[in-house]
Amino acid sequence: MKIIKNIADIRNLIKEFRAKNFTIGLVPTMGALHIGHESLIERAKEECDAVIVSLFVNPTQFCPGEDFDKYPRQLEADSDVCSRLGVDVIFAPTAEEMYPSGMESLTEVIPPSSFQDKLCGKSRKGHFNGVALVVLKLFNIVTPDKAYFGQKDAQQLAIIKKMVQDLDVNTEVIGCPIIRDADGLACSSRNKYLNIASREKALSLNKALKKVKELYDKGEDSIIEKAKEIIHHEAEVEYFKAVALKSFEYKEKIEKGTIIVIAVKIDGVRLIDNMVV
Ligand code: AMP
């Protein structure tokens, strides 16, 4: 497995892969890999000849006051995971490599407001511009045939699919199911910030989502209001909403294919989760 830090080197390697007619799969991550990331890598390994995992804590997607500085960075442990899974290349650029002229006066990639003026985009102003920018840059650098993203970040996935469609990017975006720990908590690099008591409170997210499904199956109404009662009383609910899976428009009525999205802050840690009905 190669660990590559600069763009010129990865471009040369991509040329070699192309000369061998390899299909290329990219798994973009911010590192601190867990079994959620592993599931994306495994899927890429099944479907592509060469698998590249990017590890980059992207500064342009963090808002002021967020955890950019304390976000876990652990190249060595992540390399072990990637090597165990048979990854061909880790691409781990520095911020200077990705943004050589700094973070000011950059060309912007702005997803449509209907996708990003709500939910995570509302509370994290500019977050999805940063995501779209870095993902487009990674796509231009790696030119993957397929790129793998988690359904865990459902709004991000919808925005990337829209960007790829609108800008004719020649990459197939593949959404992969949410991976959870045995207790039901959706895996996240930020779960490291939770202590035992906070984690216990966090379990109420998945329980509330399951309650939605249960009430939907029973044909009840005011489902979100009823399911909200399950969320731990110390969790600050940022949103708990029903949206259309593809367009991310709010939905009054929950129906098959509606996605229920939730974001809360528990003891200062922001967590998101979702479930497709
Ligand atoms: P991150 O490192 O948090 O930027 O995540 C990198 C990729 O892994 C994104 O496409 C996420 O949606 C995906 N991901 C993160 N957590 C999970 C999970 N629990 N299950 C599936 N995919 C995940």
Side-chain angles (χ1 to χ4, degrees), residues 27-40 54-56 61 71 131 148-154 156-157 160 174 176-181 185-191 272-273:
V27 182
T29 81
M30 297 206 299
L33 301 182
H34 50 65
I35 55 173
H37 300 113
E38 288 190 27
S39 72
L40 309 188
S54 62
L55 305 175
F56 180 56
Q61 72 187 70
Y71 198 87
V131 170
Y148 298 82
F149 293 87
Q151 181 62 37
K152 159 92 183 344
D153 298 274
Q156 165 175 286
L157 178 59
I160 290 166
I174 295 172
C176 303
I178 300 177
I179 302 298
R180 300 176 180 282
D181 282 329
L185 186 65
C187 300
S188 163
S189 307
R190 289 191 168 96
N191 290 353
I272 58 171
D273 201 347

Side-chain angles (χ1 to χ4, degrees), residues 21-80:
N21 253 335
F22 281 2
T23 53
I24 295 170
L26 173 68
V27 182
T29 81
M30 297 206 299
L33 301 182
H34 50 65
I35 55 173
H37 300 113
E38 288 190 27
S39 72
L40 309 188
I41 296 171
E42 283 163 356
R43 176 88 181 265
K45 282 294 293 176
E46 280 167 24
E47 298 182 352
C48 305
D49 298 318
V51 172
I52 298 170
V53 174
S54 62
L55 305 175
F56 180 56
V57 184
N58 172 39
T60 63
Q61 72 187 70
F62 285 79
C63 304
E66 288 190 347
D67 56 348
F68 175 70
D69 289 331
K70 73 166 190 171
Y71 198 87
R73 289 159 174 88
Q74 44 175 64
L75 180 59
E76 214 168 297
D78 290 345
S79 305
D80 290 345

